[in-house]
Amino acid sequence: MVRTVKVLIAGGAGYIGGTVASACQDAGITPVIVDSLVTGRREFAAGREFYRGDIADGPLIDRIFAEHRDIDAVIHCAALIVVPDSVADPVRYYRANVAKSLEFVAHLLRNGCGRMIFSSSAAIYRASQDLTVDEDSPIDPQSPYARTKAACEAMFADIAAVEPIRVLSLRYFNPIGADPKMRTGLQLRRPTHCLGKMIQAAEDGVPFLVTGTDYPTRDGSGIRDYVHVWDLAAAHVAALGRFDAWPGPATVINLGTGTGTTVRELLDAFNRVADRPVQARDAARRPGDVAGAYTRTDRARRLLGWQAQHDITEGIRHSLQWAAIRDEVLSGGAAPQTPQTPQTPRTPQTPQAS
Ligand SMILES: NC(=O)c1ccc[n+]([C@@H]2O[C@H](COP(=O)([O-])OP(=O)(O)OC[C@H]3O[C@@H](n4cnc5c(N)ncnc54)[C@H](O)[C@@H]3O)[C@@H](O)[C@H]2O)c1
């Protein structure tokens, strides 16, 4: 088994990629970051080997491999992730997430990189009656964003079947929290996912809207599998150490806690942790919302030796800690210490849980 000493993280200046980079570094694996900063933050790459640029840029990827011959695996987190934006502009989303990923994998093959971990999403599953899913559950993505993730998985599997590359797609459930050492967290001041809206309600002193109270769950509110981003990061480190153990050239693993938490339960947990408790107000379902799902965790335990260590209380606490220091950490930040490829900055957009 090859021990990874250096890993290329595409999208490593984003929320999840940046946190994975910290976990790699803590585990003695050097992260090299390539990120266009379309939504990522320069501060998250500070002090790291950082190349500003696009995953589809062949000469840039060649240069990274030429300058870091000991990279032996790639973690591909680079994507656009805002579901409503993907509905409004599917061309942009298919180009960014699918077309660029295809270019990227061709660049990896040309550079002899035969190991890739891909950030996929639980959003590709069809909802089931009992609200649980596993890796064999039917795939039925409900948005252009989710379809780009399913398309990438299928594309990578076809490629891995005939080319010298092994691909592990990790299907994340609902990431919450921040790096416990507060190096990374959500870039946005006002995240639009459920926990972000609770934090916002607490800050503004307004009620939190429970949107949808007639779902087939134990209390009628939507259910999700909230997984701490530091646990997600740890799963990537575990995966890097077990690349040759996958059953086939393309493998998928769900990353969730195995526990479903309803919106009302999340709010109760929030109010146990937060200084300023938030009142709930019931509201109608929003278009496109679903009852939700949580995962069975057997495969992650068997193939990665991984299971989530943090509960939602810690995820909420770390999210609140991050929200309190976010402006300070992201106030312009220190310049990265390594050479960068110049690129015209693009307008940042609003990520949300996806
Ligand atoms: N956040 C979630 O709720 C969630 C859930 C499931 C899956 N995912 C997946 O995890 C991955 C990371 O998500 P995140 O929450 O950290 O989002 P993010 O927006 O914080 O990170 C994405 C990063 O990729 C970079 N990027 C985008 N396109 C690029 C390109 N063409 N070339 C170079 N860099 C590029 C962005 O600048 C950003 O730093 C994504 O692939 C996403 O689909 C996220």
Short mmCIF file of all heavy atoms in Angstrom, two decimals, residues 10-18 34-41 44 53-56 76-81 96-97 100 118-123 145 149 170-175 185-187 193 232 346 349 351-354, ligand 1:
data_model
loop_
_atom_site.label_atom_id
_atom_site.label_comp_id
_atom_site.label_asym_id
_atom_site.label_seq_id
_atom_site.Cartn_x
_atom_site.Cartn_y
_atom_site.Cartn_z
N ALA A 10 -8.24 19.98 -5.05
CA ALA A 10 -8.93 20.91 -5.95
C ALA A 10 -10.12 21.49 -5.19
O ALA A 10 -10.93 20.73 -4.65
CB ALA A 10 -9.39 20.19 -7.21
N GLY A 11 -10.21 22.82 -5.15
CA GLY A 11 -11.25 23.43 -4.31
C GLY A 11 -10.81 23.48 -2.85
O GLY A 11 -11.66 23.57 -1.96
N GLY A 12 -9.52 23.45 -2.62
CA GLY A 12 -8.99 23.39 -1.26
C GLY A 12 -8.99 24.72 -0.53
O GLY A 12 -8.54 24.80 0.61
N ALA A 13 -9.52 25.78 -1.18
CA ALA A 13 -9.71 27.05 -0.47
C ALA A 13 -11.19 27.26 -0.15
O ALA A 13 -11.61 28.37 0.18
CB ALA A 13 -9.18 28.21 -1.31
N GLY A 14 -11.97 26.19 -0.24
CA GLY A 14 -13.39 26.26 0.11
C GLY A 14 -13.63 25.72 1.51
O GLY A 14 -12.69 25.35 2.23
N TYR A 15 -14.91 25.65 1.87
CA TYR A 15 -15.30 25.23 3.23
C TYR A 15 -14.83 23.80 3.52
O TYR A 15 -14.08 23.56 4.48
CB TYR A 15 -16.83 25.34 3.31
CG TYR A 15 -17.50 24.70 4.50
CD1 TYR A 15 -17.08 24.97 5.80
CD2 TYR A 15 -18.61 23.86 4.31
CE1 TYR A 15 -17.74 24.40 6.89
CE2 TYR A 15 -19.27 23.30 5.39
CZ TYR A 15 -18.83 23.57 6.68
OH TYR A 15 -19.49 23.00 7.75
N ILE A 16 -15.23 22.87 2.66
CA ILE A 16 -14.88 21.47 2.95
C ILE A 16 -13.44 21.19 2.55
O ILE A 16 -12.66 20.61 3.33
CB ILE A 16 -15.88 20.52 2.24
CG1 ILE A 16 -17.28 20.72 2.84
CG2 ILE A 16 -15.42 19.07 2.38
CD1 ILE A 16 -18.40 20.01 2.12
N GLY A 17 -13.03 21.63 1.34
CA GLY A 17 -11.66 21.38 0.88
C GLY A 17 -10.62 21.98 1.82
O GLY A 17 -9.58 21.36 2.09
N GLY A 18 -10.91 23.18 2.33
CA GLY A 18 -9.98 23.83 3.26
C GLY A 18 -9.87 23.05 4.57
O GLY A 18 -8.78 22.93 5.15
N VAL A 34 -5.23 23.70 -5.42
CA VAL A 34 -5.56 24.45 -6.63
C VAL A 34 -7.00 24.93 -6.49
O VAL A 34 -7.90 24.14 -6.18
CB VAL A 34 -5.34 23.63 -7.93
CG1 VAL A 34 -6.19 22.37 -7.97
CG2 VAL A 34 -5.63 24.50 -9.16
N ASP A 35 -7.18 26.23 -6.65
CA ASP A 35 -8.52 26.80 -6.43
C ASP A 35 -8.61 28.10 -7.23
O ASP A 35 -7.69 28.92 -7.20
CB ASP A 35 -8.75 27.06 -4.93
CG ASP A 35 -10.21 27.26 -4.60
OD1 ASP A 35 -10.84 28.17 -5.16
OD2 ASP A 35 -10.74 26.50 -3.77
N SER A 36 -9.72 28.29 -7.90
CA SER A 36 -9.92 29.51 -8.69
C SER A 36 -10.40 30.67 -7.82
O SER A 36 -10.49 31.80 -8.30
CB SER A 36 -10.96 29.25 -9.77
OG SER A 36 -12.21 28.96 -9.16
N LEU A 37 -10.76 30.37 -6.58
CA LEU A 37 -11.35 31.36 -5.64
C LEU A 37 -12.68 31.90 -6.15
O LEU A 37 -13.10 32.99 -5.77
CB LEU A 37 -10.37 32.51 -5.34
CG LEU A 37 -9.03 32.10 -4.71
CD1 LEU A 37 -8.20 33.35 -4.34
CD2 LEU A 37 -9.21 31.24 -3.47
N VAL A 38 -13.36 31.13 -6.98
CA VAL A 38 -14.69 31.57 -7.44
C VAL A 38 -15.63 31.71 -6.25
O VAL A 38 -16.44 32.63 -6.20
CB VAL A 38 -15.25 30.64 -8.54
CG1 VAL A 38 -15.41 29.21 -8.08
CG2 VAL A 38 -16.57 31.15 -9.06
N THR A 39 -15.53 30.79 -5.29
CA THR A 39 -16.25 30.94 -4.01
C THR A 39 -15.30 30.76 -2.83
O THR A 39 -15.68 31.04 -1.70
CB THR A 39 -17.38 29.90 -3.87
OG1 THR A 39 -16.81 28.59 -4.00
CG2 THR A 39 -18.47 30.10 -4.90
N GLY A 40 -14.12 30.26 -3.08
CA GLY A 40 -13.18 29.98 -1.99
C GLY A 40 -12.53 31.24 -1.47
O GLY A 40 -12.71 32.33 -2.00
N ARG A 41 -11.78 31.08 -0.38
CA ARG A 41 -11.16 32.22 0.28
C ARG A 41 -9.65 32.02 0.34
O ARG A 41 -9.17 30.96 0.76
CB ARG A 41 -11.70 32.35 1.71
CG ARG A 41 -13.17 32.74 1.75
CD ARG A 41 -13.46 34.11 1.19
NE ARG A 41 -12.72 35.15 1.86
CZ ARG A 41 -13.23 36.32 2.23
NH1 ARG A 41 -14.50 36.60 1.97
NH2 ARG A 41 -12.48 37.23 2.83
N PHE A 44 -8.00 30.69 3.44
CA PHE A 44 -8.01 29.26 3.75
C PHE A 44 -6.80 28.54 3.15
O PHE A 44 -6.53 27.40 3.51
CB PHE A 44 -9.30 28.60 3.24
CG PHE A 44 -10.56 29.01 3.98
CD1 PHE A 44 -11.81 28.73 3.45
CD2 PHE A 44 -10.49 29.67 5.20
CE1 PHE A 44 -12.97 29.10 4.13
CE2 PHE A 44 -11.64 30.04 5.89
CZ PHE A 44 -12.89 29.76 5.34
N GLY A 53 -6.11 29.02 -9.78
CA GLY A 53 -6.43 28.73 -11.16
C GLY A 53 -7.51 27.68 -11.26
O GLY A 53 -8.06 27.22 -10.24
N ASP A 54 -7.79 27.29 -12.49
CA ASP A 54 -8.94 26.46 -12.78
C ASP A 54 -8.52 25.00 -12.96
O ASP A 54 -7.47 24.72 -13.55
CB ASP A 54 -9.58 26.97 -14.07
CG ASP A 54 -11.02 26.55 -14.18
OD1 ASP A 54 -11.25 25.35 -14.41
OD2 ASP A 54 -11.90 27.41 -13.99
N ILE A 55 -9.37 24.10 -12.50
CA ILE A 55 -9.05 22.67 -12.65
C ILE A 55 -9.00 22.24 -14.12
O ILE A 55 -8.39 21.23 -14.45
CB ILE A 55 -10.06 21.76 -11.90
CG1 ILE A 55 -11.50 22.03 -12.35
CG2 ILE A 55 -9.90 21.92 -10.39
CD1 ILE A 55 -12.49 20.97 -11.88
N ALA A 56 -9.65 23.02 -14.99
CA ALA A 56 -9.65 22.66 -16.42
C ALA A 56 -8.42 23.18 -17.15
O ALA A 56 -8.23 22.89 -18.34
CB ALA A 56 -10.91 23.21 -17.08
N HIS A 76 -10.94 15.93 -5.07
CA HIS A 76 -11.60 16.85 -6.00
C HIS A 76 -12.87 17.41 -5.36
O HIS A 76 -13.94 16.80 -5.43
CB HIS A 76 -11.91 16.10 -7.30
CG HIS A 76 -12.69 16.91 -8.30
ND1 HIS A 76 -12.85 18.29 -8.23
CD2 HIS A 76 -13.38 16.52 -9.42
CE1 HIS A 76 -13.59 18.70 -9.24
NE2 HIS A 76 -13.93 17.65 -9.98
N CYS A 77 -12.73 18.59 -4.72
CA CYS A 77 -13.87 19.26 -4.07
C CYS A 77 -14.35 20.45 -4.89
O CYS A 77 -15.27 21.15 -4.46
CB CYS A 77 -13.47 19.80 -2.70
SG CYS A 77 -12.71 18.67 -1.58
N ALA A 78 -13.72 20.73 -6.02
CA ALA A 78 -14.02 21.98 -6.76
C ALA A 78 -15.36 21.86 -7.48
O ALA A 78 -15.54 20.98 -8.32
CB ALA A 78 -12.91 22.26 -7.77
N ALA A 79 -16.28 22.73 -7.14
CA ALA A 79 -17.59 22.73 -7.79
C ALA A 79 -18.34 23.99 -7.42
O ALA A 79 -17.98 24.69 -6.47
CB ALA A 79 -18.40 21.51 -7.34
N LEU A 80 -19.39 24.27 -8.19
CA LEU A 80 -20.38 25.25 -7.79
C LEU A 80 -21.50 24.48 -7.08
O LEU A 80 -21.87 23.39 -7.54
CB LEU A 80 -20.94 26.00 -9.01
CG LEU A 80 -19.91 26.76 -9.85
CD1 LEU A 80 -20.58 27.45 -11.03
CD2 LEU A 80 -19.15 27.78 -9.00
N ILE A 81 -22.04 25.06 -6.01
CA ILE A 81 -22.89 24.21 -5.16
C ILE A 81 -24.26 24.81 -4.80
O ILE A 81 -24.94 24.29 -3.94
CB ILE A 81 -22.14 23.85 -3.86
CG1 ILE A 81 -22.02 25.06 -2.92
CG2 ILE A 81 -20.78 23.26 -4.13
CD1 ILE A 81 -21.74 24.66 -1.48
N ALA A 96 -19.27 24.03 -15.27
CA ALA A 96 -18.35 24.12 -14.11
C ALA A 96 -18.13 22.75 -13.47
O ALA A 96 -17.00 22.41 -13.11
CB ALA A 96 -18.92 25.10 -13.09
N ASN A 97 -19.19 22.00 -13.29
CA ASN A 97 -19.09 20.78 -12.49
C ASN A 97 -18.79 19.54 -13.31
O ASN A 97 -18.08 18.65 -12.85
CB ASN A 97 -20.37 20.57 -11.69
CG ASN A 97 -20.55 21.62 -10.60
OD1 ASN A 97 -19.72 22.53 -10.46
ND2 ASN A 97 -21.61 21.52 -9.84
N LYS A 100 -15.70 20.70 -16.68
CA LYS A 100 -14.37 20.97 -16.11
C LYS A 100 -13.84 19.74 -15.38
O LYS A 100 -12.62 19.51 -15.38
CB LYS A 100 -14.42 22.19 -15.18
CG LYS A 100 -14.57 23.47 -15.97
CD LYS A 100 -14.52 24.70 -15.11
CE LYS A 100 -14.77 25.92 -15.99
NZ LYS A 100 -14.00 27.08 -15.66
N PHE A 118 -13.56 11.96 -4.87
CA PHE A 118 -14.48 12.95 -5.44
C PHE A 118 -15.56 13.32 -4.41
O PHE A 118 -16.17 12.43 -3.81
CB PHE A 118 -15.13 12.37 -6.70
CG PHE A 118 -16.22 13.24 -7.26
CD1 PHE A 118 -15.96 14.53 -7.70
CD2 PHE A 118 -17.53 12.76 -7.35
CE1 PHE A 118 -16.97 15.35 -8.19
CE2 PHE A 118 -18.54 13.56 -7.86
CZ PHE A 118 -18.25 14.85 -8.28
N SER A 119 -15.78 14.63 -4.26
CA SER A 119 -16.84 15.12 -3.35
C SER A 119 -18.19 14.97 -4.02
O SER A 119 -18.56 15.78 -4.87
CB SER A 119 -16.65 16.61 -3.06
OG SER A 119 -15.45 16.86 -2.39
N SER A 120 -18.93 13.94 -3.64
CA SER A 120 -20.28 13.79 -4.17
C SER A 120 -21.28 14.16 -3.08
O SER A 120 -20.90 14.69 -2.03
CB SER A 120 -20.48 12.36 -4.68
OG SER A 120 -21.71 12.30 -5.39
N SER A 121 -22.54 13.89 -3.34
CA SER A 121 -23.56 14.42 -2.44
C SER A 121 -24.71 13.43 -2.25
O SER A 121 -25.11 12.73 -3.18
CB SER A 121 -24.13 15.71 -3.04
OG SER A 121 -25.24 16.13 -2.29
N ALA A 122 -25.26 13.44 -1.05
CA ALA A 122 -26.45 12.64 -0.76
C ALA A 122 -27.65 13.16 -1.53
O ALA A 122 -28.68 12.48 -1.59
CB ALA A 122 -26.73 12.68 0.73
N ALA A 123 -27.52 14.35 -2.12
CA ALA A 123 -28.64 14.93 -2.89
C ALA A 123 -28.97 14.10 -4.13
O ALA A 123 -29.99 14.34 -4.77
CB ALA A 123 -28.30 16.36 -3.29
N TYR A 145 -27.98 20.87 -10.02
CA TYR A 145 -26.76 20.69 -9.21
C TYR A 145 -26.56 19.20 -8.88
O TYR A 145 -25.47 18.65 -9.11
CB TYR A 145 -26.84 21.49 -7.90
CG TYR A 145 -25.85 21.00 -6.88
CD1 TYR A 145 -24.49 21.34 -6.97
CD2 TYR A 145 -26.24 20.15 -5.84
CE1 TYR A 145 -23.57 20.84 -6.05
CE2 TYR A 145 -25.33 19.66 -4.92
CZ TYR A 145 -23.99 20.00 -5.03
OH TYR A 145 -23.08 19.50 -4.13
N LYS A 149 -23.59 16.13 -10.00
CA LYS A 149 -22.82 15.22 -9.12
C LYS A 149 -23.00 13.77 -9.60
O LYS A 149 -22.03 13.01 -9.68
CB LYS A 149 -23.30 15.37 -7.68
CG LYS A 149 -22.96 16.69 -7.07
CD LYS A 149 -21.52 16.72 -6.57
CE LYS A 149 -20.79 17.97 -6.92
NZ LYS A 149 -19.40 18.01 -6.50
N LEU A 170 -17.23 10.10 -2.44
CA LEU A 170 -17.76 10.19 -1.08
C LEU A 170 -19.02 11.04 -1.13
O LEU A 170 -18.98 12.21 -1.53
CB LEU A 170 -16.71 10.82 -0.15
CG LEU A 170 -15.44 10.00 0.04
CD1 LEU A 170 -14.43 10.75 0.92
CD2 LEU A 170 -15.75 8.63 0.65
N ARG A 171 -20.14 10.43 -0.76
CA ARG A 171 -21.42 11.16 -0.82
C ARG A 171 -21.68 11.76 0.55
O ARG A 171 -22.06 11.06 1.50
CB ARG A 171 -22.55 10.19 -1.21
CG ARG A 171 -22.38 9.66 -2.63
CD ARG A 171 -23.44 8.63 -2.98
NE ARG A 171 -23.26 8.13 -4.34
CZ ARG A 171 -23.77 6.99 -4.79
NH1 ARG A 171 -24.53 6.23 -4.01
NH2 ARG A 171 -23.55 6.61 -6.04
N TYR A 172 -21.46 13.08 0.64
CA TYR A 172 -21.63 13.77 1.91
C TYR A 172 -23.12 13.97 2.19
O TYR A 172 -23.87 14.35 1.29
CB TYR A 172 -21.01 15.17 1.90
CG TYR A 172 -19.59 15.29 1.42
CD1 TYR A 172 -19.15 16.52 0.89
CD2 TYR A 172 -18.68 14.25 1.49
CE1 TYR A 172 -17.85 16.69 0.45
CE2 TYR A 172 -17.37 14.41 1.05
CZ TYR A 172 -16.97 15.62 0.52
OH TYR A 172 -15.68 15.80 0.08
N PHE A 173 -23.50 13.83 3.47
CA PHE A 173 -24.85 14.20 3.86
C PHE A 173 -24.85 15.72 4.18
O PHE A 173 -24.46 16.48 3.31
CB PHE A 173 -25.38 13.25 4.94
CG PHE A 173 -25.91 12.00 4.27
CD1 PHE A 173 -25.05 11.14 3.58
CD2 PHE A 173 -27.26 11.75 4.20
CE1 PHE A 173 -25.54 10.04 2.87
CE2 PHE A 173 -27.76 10.65 3.50
CZ PHE A 173 -26.90 9.80 2.84
N ASN A 174 -25.21 16.16 5.33
CA ASN A 174 -25.37 17.61 5.54
C ASN A 174 -24.27 18.14 6.46
O ASN A 174 -24.40 18.06 7.68
CB ASN A 174 -26.75 17.90 6.14
CG ASN A 174 -27.85 17.44 5.20
OD1 ASN A 174 -28.23 16.27 5.20
ND2 ASN A 174 -28.31 18.34 4.37
N PRO A 175 -23.22 18.69 5.86
CA PRO A 175 -22.10 19.14 6.68
C PRO A 175 -22.47 20.34 7.55
O PRO A 175 -23.14 21.26 7.10
CB PRO A 175 -21.03 19.58 5.65
CG PRO A 175 -21.52 19.09 4.33
CD PRO A 175 -22.99 18.94 4.43
N GLY A 185 -14.17 27.54 8.12
CA GLY A 185 -15.60 27.38 8.38
C GLY A 185 -16.32 27.90 7.16
O GLY A 185 -15.69 28.16 6.13
N LEU A 186 -17.64 28.09 7.26
CA LEU A 186 -18.36 28.59 6.09
C LEU A 186 -17.93 30.02 5.76
O LEU A 186 -17.83 30.86 6.64
CB LEU A 186 -19.87 28.58 6.37
CG LEU A 186 -20.59 27.27 6.10
CD1 LEU A 186 -22.04 27.39 6.51
CD2 LEU A 186 -20.50 26.87 4.63
N GLN A 187 -17.70 30.27 4.46
CA GLN A 187 -17.24 31.59 4.04
C GLN A 187 -18.31 32.66 4.24
O GLN A 187 -18.02 33.81 4.50
CB GLN A 187 -16.86 31.60 2.55
CG GLN A 187 -15.84 30.61 2.13
CD GLN A 187 -16.48 29.33 1.66
OE1 GLN A 187 -17.29 28.77 2.35
NE2 GLN A 187 -16.09 28.85 0.49
N HIS A 193 -28.46 27.55 4.76
CA HIS A 193 -28.96 26.25 5.22
C HIS A 193 -29.60 26.41 6.60
O HIS A 193 -29.56 27.48 7.22
CB HIS A 193 -27.89 25.18 5.18
CG HIS A 193 -26.71 25.44 6.05
ND1 HIS A 193 -26.81 25.85 7.34
CD2 HIS A 193 -25.38 25.35 5.81
CE1 HIS A 193 -25.62 25.99 7.87
NE2 HIS A 193 -24.72 25.71 6.95
N LEU A 232 -16.05 14.68 8.35
CA LEU A 232 -15.89 14.49 6.90
C LEU A 232 -14.41 14.53 6.53
O LEU A 232 -13.92 13.69 5.77
CB LEU A 232 -16.59 15.61 6.12
CG LEU A 232 -18.10 15.60 6.00
CD1 LEU A 232 -18.54 16.71 5.04
CD2 LEU A 232 -18.62 14.27 5.50
N ARG A 346 -13.34 36.34 -10.07
CA ARG A 346 -14.73 36.42 -10.48
C ARG A 346 -15.59 36.79 -9.29
O ARG A 346 -15.16 36.72 -8.15
CB ARG A 346 -15.17 35.04 -11.02
CG ARG A 346 -14.63 34.80 -12.40
CD ARG A 346 -15.01 33.43 -12.85
NE ARG A 346 -13.85 32.59 -12.92
CZ ARG A 346 -13.90 31.28 -12.99
NH1 ARG A 346 -15.03 30.66 -12.99
NH2 ARG A 346 -12.81 30.58 -13.08
N GLN A 349 -20.26 34.07 -5.17
CA GLN A 349 -21.69 33.84 -5.13
C GLN A 349 -22.04 33.15 -3.81
O GLN A 349 -21.19 32.90 -3.00
CB GLN A 349 -22.09 32.97 -6.30
CG GLN A 349 -21.15 31.78 -6.43
CD GLN A 349 -21.84 30.56 -6.88
OE1 GLN A 349 -22.77 30.63 -7.65
NE2 GLN A 349 -21.41 29.44 -6.39
N PRO A 351 -23.00 30.25 -1.53
CA PRO A 351 -23.18 28.81 -1.41
C PRO A 351 -24.29 28.47 -0.42
O PRO A 351 -24.55 29.24 0.50
CB PRO A 351 -21.83 28.32 -0.88
CG PRO A 351 -20.99 29.50 -0.64
CD PRO A 351 -21.82 30.72 -0.82
N GLN A 352 -24.89 27.34 -0.55
CA GLN A 352 -25.78 26.83 0.49
C GLN A 352 -25.61 25.33 0.56
O GLN A 352 -25.04 24.73 -0.33
CB GLN A 352 -27.22 27.19 0.21
CG GLN A 352 -27.81 26.43 -0.97
CD GLN A 352 -29.29 26.66 -1.09
OE1 GLN A 352 -29.80 27.70 -0.69
NE2 GLN A 352 -30.01 25.72 -1.64
N ALA A 353 -26.07 24.76 1.64
CA ALA A 353 -25.89 23.32 1.83
C ALA A 353 -26.47 22.58 0.66
O ALA A 353 -27.56 22.88 0.20
CB ALA A 353 -26.59 22.89 3.10
N SER A 354 -25.70 21.64 0.13
CA SER A 354 -26.19 20.94 -1.04
C SER A 354 -25.67 19.53 -1.01
O SER A 354 -24.80 19.15 -1.64
CB SER A 354 -25.76 21.66 -2.30
OG SER A 354 -24.49 22.23 -2.13
N1 LIG B 1 -21.49 22.06 1.50
C1 LIG B 1 -22.35 21.07 1.34
O1 LIG B 1 -23.41 21.07 1.94
C2 LIG B 1 -22.02 19.91 0.42
C3 LIG B 1 -22.80 18.74 0.50
C4 LIG B 1 -22.49 17.68 -0.35
C5 LIG B 1 -21.44 17.78 -1.25
N2 LIG B 1 -20.70 18.93 -1.29
C6 LIG B 1 -19.61 19.01 -2.26
O2 LIG B 1 -18.41 19.30 -1.56
C7 LIG B 1 -17.55 20.07 -2.40
C8 LIG B 1 -17.06 21.27 -1.63
O3 LIG B 1 -18.17 22.05 -1.24
P1 LIG B 1 -18.03 23.29 -0.25
O4 LIG B 1 -19.23 23.32 0.62
O5 LIG B 1 -16.70 23.28 0.38
O6 LIG B 1 -18.16 24.49 -1.30
P2 LIG B 1 -17.21 25.76 -1.50
O7 LIG B 1 -17.87 26.65 -2.47
O8 LIG B 1 -16.82 26.30 -0.17
O9 LIG B 1 -15.91 25.10 -2.13
C9 LIG B 1 -15.74 24.85 -3.51
C10 LIG B 1 -14.35 25.35 -3.87
O10 LIG B 1 -14.06 25.01 -5.23
C11 LIG B 1 -13.50 26.14 -5.87
N3 LIG B 1 -13.77 25.99 -7.31
C12 LIG B 1 -14.98 25.90 -7.90
N4 LIG B 1 -14.84 25.69 -9.23
C13 LIG B 1 -13.49 25.63 -9.47
C14 LIG B 1 -12.71 25.41 -10.63
N5 LIG B 1 -13.26 25.20 -11.84
N6 LIG B 1 -11.37 25.39 -10.52
C15 LIG B 1 -10.77 25.59 -9.31
N7 LIG B 1 -11.47 25.81 -8.18
C16 LIG B 1 -12.82 25.81 -8.24
C17 LIG B 1 -14.16 27.35 -5.21
O11 LIG B 1 -13.45 28.55 -5.36
C18 LIG B 1 -14.24 26.87 -3.76
O12 LIG B 1 -13.07 27.19 -3.05
C19 LIG B 1 -18.34 20.41 -3.67
O13 LIG B 1 -17.93 19.53 -4.69
C20 LIG B 1 -19.77 20.13 -3.26
O14 LIG B 1 -20.54 19.74 -4.39
C21 LIG B 1 -20.95 19.99 -0.48
#
